Amino acid sequence: MRRLLPTLALAVLLAGCGSSDGGGGGKAEVLKAGDPIEMKSLHFKPDHVQVAVGQQITWHNDESVPHDVKADSGASFSSETFGKDKSYTWTPDKAGTVKYECTLHPGMEGTIDVVAKEATS
Ligand SMILES: [Cu+2]
């Protein structure tokens, strides 16, 4: 009986984490200007980033599997399919959350938190 409470608390904590990041696999990583989002092992790395409005984002294909990048919500960009060592860039012009995916690989998806410039430092 005494062990039940901590277990419940942990379960609540874990559930809270899972819903806040939308399945992106953790907290948003601040993407430094010039750093790419790599496409590797059929995933975007990092798959959850924070960028500033006006900061160019580059997706770089790091493997010999073709990929593309298509916005699902929050934006409307869509790349051609591109292969190893090729890249695609997009620059957000307003704050918000952008969800995107590779249409060729189910489960290959990412999140971009676009924030006003003042908030990134
Ligand atoms: Cu892909």
Side-chain angles (χ1 to χ4, degrees), residues 16-73:
C17 279
S19 61
S20 65
D21 76 7
K27 206 164 159 275
E29 189 172 308
V30 175
L31 193 68
K32 287 190 215 119
D35 276 4
I37 295 173
E38 302 284 349
M39 302 159 106
K40 202 171 186 177
S41 307
L42 305 184
H43 284 89
F44 295 107
K45 296 185 180 185
D47 67 356
H48 189 178
V49 298
Q50 177 186 297
V51 302
V53 173
Q55 178 181 339
Q56 180 174 281
I57 301 167
T58 300
W59 286 268
H60 179 258
N61 190 345
D62 213 33
E63 64 187 342
S64 50
V65 177
H67 297 294
D68 66 10
V69 185
K70 180 181 172 291
D72 284 327
S73 63

Side-chain angles (χ1 to χ4, degrees), residues 15 18-19 24 28 36 54 74 80 82-83 85 87-89 95 100 104 114:
S19 61
E80 302 286 318
F82 56 97
D85 291 333
S87 59
Y88 172 72
T89 62
Y100 68 92
L104 306 172
V114 184

Side-chain angles (χ1 to χ4, degrees), residues 5-17:
L5 211 58
T7 307
L8 269 175
L10 187 65
V12 169
L13 205 67
L14 289 172
C17 279

Side-chain angles (χ1 to χ4, degrees), residues 66-67 102 104-105 108:
H67 297 294
C102 168
L104 306 172
H105 302 110
M108 185 173 176

